[in-house]
Amino acid sequence: MRDAGRTLMTADWVVGHVDGHHVLYRQGEVVFENGEIIFVGHGFAGEVARRRDYDLALLAPGFIDLDALSDLDTTILSFDNHPSWRKGRAWPKSYMEAGPYEMYSLDELVFQKRHAFARLIRNGITTALPIASLYYRAWGETYDEFTGAAQAAEELGLRVYLGPAYRTGNPFVVAPDHIELHFDEERGFKGLADAISFCKSFEGKAQGLVRTMLAPDRIETCTAQLLRRTAAAGADLDVPVRLHCAQGEFERDTVRRLHDMTSIEWLASLDFMSERTLLPHGIFVSPSRHIPGPGRDLEMIRDAGAAIVHCPLVSARFGDGLESFTRYRELGLRLGLGTDTSPPDMLLNLQIGLLVCRLADRDVTSCRAEHYFDAATLGGADALGRSDLGRLAPGCRADIVVWDLAGPDIGQVIDPIQTLMISATGRDVRSVVIDGRFVMEERELPGMDFAAEARRAQKQFEGLVSRYPDRTFGHPTVSEIFSAAYPVIPQPE
Ligand SMILES: [Zn+2]
């Protein structure tokens, strides 16, 4: 519940917004009422019901996460375990033919969404478009678990765009190093139909905190018909449509083999892209080192008005990244950010993105702190068509993050955004307001025992790991699948 009346927040630094750009107020004030910001600046003259003084802190707009971690992280399984076909990241043929099954119960699926949503809030993310891996599912995500996700978002107070992911195809391992795709068109259409009815039922729920989207999973697991119908439904419902593409080698090679085009060329040929399209990850584009030679992928994305969802952390873990963030920006592409993996620390993503950009450009001046901060706030809002998010200004939603600048580990401050980019982590978020409600105060989420939930998450995850051999090619044991950094010496009996 929101508190009634006006709330005034003050801090040594406040990110305000003037004439389309962020500004920094020293000893600034933010006032909100009924979930809406009514004042940002100095010397508010009106009456307030309460005030919170944060002193050496930064009040900033919450991050918008267009590809928000929403399950128990699974990239931990692949971090030092390759190749993916040998490590259970694609199903063996036997597993698929036996009928893939859900690795988690409905209860566990809903729990992991709720747990992930809490982690997003703890990292200063106030708007989230969840993403989860389908490797561990019988097929797509379900209406029922998203009903639970909507309820969790409402209870925790997280602003979300929800839609169960669906697909037509699934990769499976035929033989060592040989992955093929199995397609089931009807199953894809059924997933789309469920997603559409979810949108119709949940759009605008929880006083507008819950919005909806369409989320076909990965381009190589979609057929032309599924993508055409998705684009039409997205226009009809007027919701964002997110599709993972231009992400990796398997996708690039599969789309080329099946359609003789790059992923982006195929999307353009299907008339899929529009201003409501969100495209994680946008790395395998022409021209780039992954697709040399001529090519106009980036121009096609830009001209269609689609937005790229940039997820620097997960890409860097695979030794990859945009070439480069600055080049994309200067081309006039719409760019938002996504966490996509654990930790769902948007600030860490900004930090790594900036480093990868400077490395790609071999130029220390090619990218500045505010370029990334803008993308994670204004860029995300723009990608969603939400001029009332991503900034602290009168008339905008009160989605506010309090960053601690007083901790002894944070170092010094000349400019608070630069200090965040150098020294802070998501764990330096003190308090979070979403839609005018304090959803976290001094790192406590009301009514939630986060430590107990983390223990439950670990237990649930161990269950998944123990079922892993079943769904791994050749059925090796758990310790053969997952390597250890050092030899593990068990406790004596
Ligand atoms: Zn991704």
Side-chain angles (χ1 to χ4, degrees):
M1 283 283 285
R2 282 183 202 134
D3 298 316
R6 291 173 180 163
T7 301
L8 166 71
M9 299 168 79
T10 72
D12 278 8
W13 296 92
V14 172
V15 179
H17 197 77
V18 177
D19 297 333
H21 301 280
H22 288 330
V23 295
L24 285 163
Y25 291 101
R26 294 305 313 263
Q27 279 78 44
E29 302 167 13
V30 180
V31 183
F32 61 86
E33 182 174 22
N34 291 327
E36 184 179 306
I37 294 171
I38 59 170
F39 178 83
V40 183
H42 296 122
F44 180 70
E47 294 280 310
V48 297
R50 72 197 60 78
R51 63 181 288 158
R52 306 278 167 97
D53 299 304
Y54 291 98
D55 300 319
L56 188 48
L58 170 73
L59 305 184
F63 290 134
I64 295 172
D65 189 344
L66 300 176
D67 209 31
L69 176 77
S70 71
D71 53 7
L72 305 185
D73 186 38
T74 53
T75 58
I76 188 175
L77 301 167
S78 66
F79 182 66
D80 264 338
N81 299 299
H82 301 283
S84 57
W85 66 265
R86 198 197 286 279
K87 301 296 183 181
R89 291 288 279 183
W91 299 343
K93 197 161 178 238
S94 56
Y95 179 78
M96 196 183 67
E97 284 173 350
Y101 60 86
E102 295 284 1
M103 301 296 273
Y104 290 135
S105 68
L106 176 61
D107 194 40
E108 290 175 322
L109 288 169
V110 173
F111 166 76
Q112 68 174 357
K113 287 256 183 298
R114 179 184 155 85
H115 185 64
F117 289 175
R119 293 183 72 192
L120 296 170
I121 291 170
R122 291 165 66 86
N123 283 278
I125 289 155
T126 54
T127 300
L129 282 63
I131 182 76
S133 175
L134 295 188
Y135 291 129
Y136 309 94
R137 308 306 304 273
W139 198 256
E141 292 176 320
T142 64
Y143 190 104
D144 289 347
E145 78 191 87
F146 270 74
T147 302
Q151 201 179 348
E154 181 171 9
E155 280 166 20
L156 292 167
L158 179 65
R159 190 182 299 287
V160 287
Y161 283 72
L162 299 177
Y166 53 91
R167 57 179 172 159
T168 310
N170 182 70
F172 67 98
V173 186
V174 187
D177 224 6
H178 180 185
I179 297 176
E180 281 189 8
L181 276 157
H182 163 77
F183 284 100
D184 184 342
E185 183 114 72
E186 285 311 311
R187 216 166 180 177
F189 292 158
K190 169 82 172 58
L192 171 60
D194 284 352
I196 290 170
S197 48
F198 182 85
C199 291
K200 287 180 175 164
S201 302
F202 283 87
E203 177 68 25
K205 289 276 182 208
Q207 291 84 49
L209 212 56
V210 174
R211 302 284 301 267
T212 62
M213 67 165 166
L214 292 175
D217 190 45
R218 293 164 172 250
I219 190 169
E220 73 272 25
T221 65
C222 296
T223 54
Q225 267 310 327
L226 188 72
L227 292 178
R228 281 206 190 91
R229 292 186 187 188
T230 294
D236 193 37
L237 296 161
D238 195 20
V239 295
V241 175
R242 187 184 62 198
L243 174 70
H244 266 65
C245 71
Q247 175 174 212
E249 275 171 38
F250 177 73
E251 172 209 321
R252 176 196 63 195
D253 298 345
T254 303
V255 172
R256 184 174 284 159
R257 180 166 57 81
L258 296 177
H259 312 290
D260 198 25
M261 290 182 242
T262 67
S263 292
I264 301 304
E265 287 163 357
W266 189 43
L267 290 183
S269 78
L270 297 171
D271 226 0
F272 180 84
M273 292 185 287
S274 72
E275 283 173 4
R276 69 176 58 80
T277 314
L278 309 173
L279 303 173
H281 293 255
I283 293 173
F284 280 64
V285 291
S286 64
S288 69
R289 72 187 169 93
H290 298 300
I291 308 180
R296 299 187 62 255
D297 282 0
L298 292 176
E299 286 85 348
M300 285 191 282
I301 296 170
R302 178 195 61 198
D303 296 346
I308 286 180
V309 180
H310 174 32
C311 309
L313 173 61
V314 75
S315 303
R317 281 194 184 142
F318 283 88
D320 217 330
L322 299 186
E323 293 176 334
S324 67
F325 176 75
T326 293
R327 176 178 150 234
Y328 283 36
R329 250 179 14 95
E330 288 176 348
L331 266 170
L333 279 155
R334 300 167 76 201
L335 281 162
L337 266 290
T339 54
D340 202 52
T341 189
S342 187
D345 183 343
M346 183 61 84
L347 186 59
L348 177 63
N349 273 273
L350 306 190
Q351 292 164 344
I352 291 189
L354 183 141
L355 300 185
V356 169
C357 181
R358 289 183 180 180
L359 203 56
D361 292 338
R362 295 283 190 274
D363 180 1
V364 65
T365 65
S366 81
C367 184
R368 291 175 53 94
E370 63 268 26
H371 296 148
Y372 264 96
F373 197 84
D374 278 356
T377 52
L378 301 171
D382 171 59
L384 295 173
R386 294 289 300 266
S387 57
D388 62 337
L389 299 180
R391 71 214 71 190
L392 304 185
C396 295
R397 303 314 299 166
D399 293 0
I400 305 162
V401 172
V402 183
W403 290 93
D404 183 23
L405 296 176
D409 294 312
I410 204 99
Q412 289 67 54
V413 181
I414 302 173
D415 173 278
I417 304 297
Q418 291 169 15
T419 294
L420 289 193
M421 288 294 274
I422 290 168
S423 297
T425 83
R427 291 164 202 166
D428 292 312
V429 170
R430 283 173 62 181
S431 297
V432 177
V433 174
I434 301 177
D435 219 43
R437 170 179 161 194
F438 279 85
V439 299
M440 182 173 89
E441 288 194 83
E442 304 302 335
R443 297 205 65 70
E444 294 290 331
L445 286 86
M448 175 180 264
D449 183 347
F450 189 76
E453 295 222 349
R455 285 193 295 277
R456 177 177 168 185
Q458 175 67 26
K459 200 153 174 273
Q460 180 171 320
F461 190 72
E462 285 168 7
L464 177 130
V465 169
S466 72
R467 292 189 287 278
Y468 231 74
D470 200 23
R471 34 153 306 133
T472 301
F473 184 74
H475 310 298
T477 63
V478 167
S479 61
E480 285 169 321
I481 300 171
F482 303 113
S483 65
Y486 299 110
V488 176
I489 302 169
Q491 190 182 34
E493 295 285 323

